[in-house]
Amino acid sequence: MKTLMKSGLSALALTAMASGAFAADLGASGEPIKLALNEWTGQHVTTRVAGEMLKAAGYEVEYVTAGMMNQFQAIADGDIHATLEIWSSNVSDQYAVLKDAGQLEELSDLGLNAREGIAYPAHVADLCPGLPAWEALQECAMNFATAETLPMGRLVDYPADWGTPGADRMTGLELPFKAVPAGSEGALIAELRASTEKKSPLLITFWQPHWAMSAYDVKFVDLPAGEDACFTDPAWGPNPNAINDCDFAASRIFKAGWPGLKDKWPAAHEILVNYTLAVEDQQPMMGAVDVDGEAVEDVVSAWMGANEDKWKSVVDAATK
């Protein structure tokens, strides 16, 4: 019995030593892991939560401002090591090319329940009878016209660096609207705020999760379902001569990183693969930043302190 106990203890000791060796092997923990910061508040929240988790594991973190569309080559080159909130409906073709070439690693889904579409503040339904049906926009486009768009209606599209999804749908559905890119996410919010306060007409490309969806009672236009064929086959959909005559494809939000991440910082790679963030956590933090004017660093720090049960186990699993 003593021999067996001794052998058992030795086995446990070896296991503990092995576990300890793995936990101690954080990789190049003295070199900063560079995380991309893109152009919208939710992405900043997502990224800084991930950064705080990495810091809790013992890593140094550096945040690098990068455009959503041009960040992927920087990741492939190792100048940025991860980006934490990629929307499938708004990702560049370069992403797929680099991923297929093994120059970029897709990590995993972030876990946000997302939707993108053509939207309007709820009061606009009174200015365009027939909404949310998309066909109603054919008849009331002039109600949305401005000096720069006459005789067409005005659609406030995503910032130019995010692509032209709103413009693509106006063309595909042959709707008499001119898409005008917003200057930033903040400019999109300013449009929603002004329209809500003045009860003025507004058609806008927008998304959820976002605090503004509830703060300004925003509705989505009902477009034909965004099936794969819509984006490749002109014969599909209401316009037989064009693609994109449909809604956005269901959005998937995911993470990607430099292929060398898993070898240089093994525990960090595991943390980022297993990291998820729920809408009910992200959205209030976005509101605290954009509505209440708090610094994103302070908002994230407060959330981390109050919600250890939602993230600490991921860090512990990778480091202990």
Side-chain angles (χ1 to χ4, degrees):
M1 179 64 70
K2 290 182 179 180
T3 302
L4 289 173
M5 289 178 64
K6 183 177 181 180
S7 298
L9 288 171
S10 297
L12 288 170
L14 287 171
T15 301
M17 288 173 63
S19 299
F22 178 78
D25 185 15
L26 298 178
S29 58
E31 297 183 38
I33 299 172
K34 298 180 181 180
L35 304 181
L37 286 178
N38 300 149
E39 302 92 336
W40 63 100
T41 302
Q43 198 273 353
H44 284 220
V45 168
T46 295
T47 303
R48 288 187 179 275
V49 169
E52 291 304 307
M53 291 171 66
L54 293 176
K55 290 178 183 178
Y59 290 107
E60 294 182 18
V61 174
E62 181 179 331
Y63 298 104
V64 180
T65 299
M68 214 295 291
M69 293 295 186
N70 61 25
Q71 65 183 329
F72 300 117
Q73 187 60 56
I75 294 172
D77 294 340
D79 296 328
I80 295 174
H81 303 123
T83 184
L84 283 308
E85 189 176 316
I86 305 168
W87 289 60
S88 62
S89 58
N90 197 34
V91 68
S92 68
D93 294 337
Q94 184 188 38
Y95 174 82
V97 171
L98 292 171
K99 177 187 170 188
D100 291 345
Q103 295 179 268
L104 185 150
E105 179 191 1
E106 190 164 302
L107 298 174
S108 63
D109 286 357
L110 179 60
L112 289 176
N113 180 23
R115 180 181 177 183
E116 291 183 271
I118 306 301
Y120 58 94
H123 72 268
V124 171
D126 296 331
L127 307 175
C128 186
L131 284 175
W134 69 271
E135 294 90 344
L137 296 171
Q138 290 278 8
E139 304 301 323
C140 63
M142 278 296 294
N143 292 343
F144 297 84
T146 65
E148 67 178 320
T149 67
L150 279 169
M152 305 175 76
R154 172 176 174 259
L155 166 72
V156 181
D157 209 351
Y158 282 163
D161 190 47
W162 300 9
T164 58
D168 294 344
R169 277 149 185 84
M170 297 303 101
T171 300
L173 291 163
E174 294 186 316
L175 290 170
F177 280 78
K178 179 179 179 180
V180 179
S184 64
E185 180 189 2
L188 290 170
I189 302 306
E191 292 279 355
L192 286 171
R193 181 182 298 114
S195 175
T196 299
E197 291 175 353
K198 298 176 182 178
K199 302 301 180 186
S200 57
L202 176 66
L203 195 66
I204 190 168
T205 310
F206 212 70
W207 72 96
Q208 66 178 30
H210 199 290
W211 61 265
M213 288 298 294
S214 55
Y216 299 116
D217 193 11
V218 182
K219 309 294 183 184
F220 284 110
V221 176
D222 290 339
L223 302 176
E227 298 179 7
D228 290 345
C230 169
F231 309 109
T232 58
D233 181 6
W236 187 100
N239 184 355
N241 302 310
I243 59 173
N244 298 315
D245 50 341
C246 63
D247 207 345
F248 288 64
S251 292
R252 172 176 165 250
I253 302 180
F254 55 96
K255 303 161 285 182
W258 173 53
L261 177 66
K262 58 182 172 294
D263 295 322
K264 189 166 185 176
W265 297 287
H269 179 266
E270 183 177 337
I271 289 168
L272 295 182
V273 166
N274 292 317
Y275 164 52
T276 60
L277 186 65
V279 170
E280 57 264 29
D281 290 311
Q282 190 203 55
Q283 214 152 251
M285 285 191 276
M286 294 163 65
V289 175
D290 286 341
V291 180
D292 301 333
E294 298 181 40
V296 65
E297 299 90 339
D298 296 338
V299 171
V300 169
S301 178
W303 183 87
M304 298 291 291
N307 293 276
E308 282 195 359
D309 59 312
K310 296 182 178 181
W311 61 268
K312 195 170 186 300
S313 62
V314 174
V315 174
D316 289 345
T319 58
K320 293 183 180 181

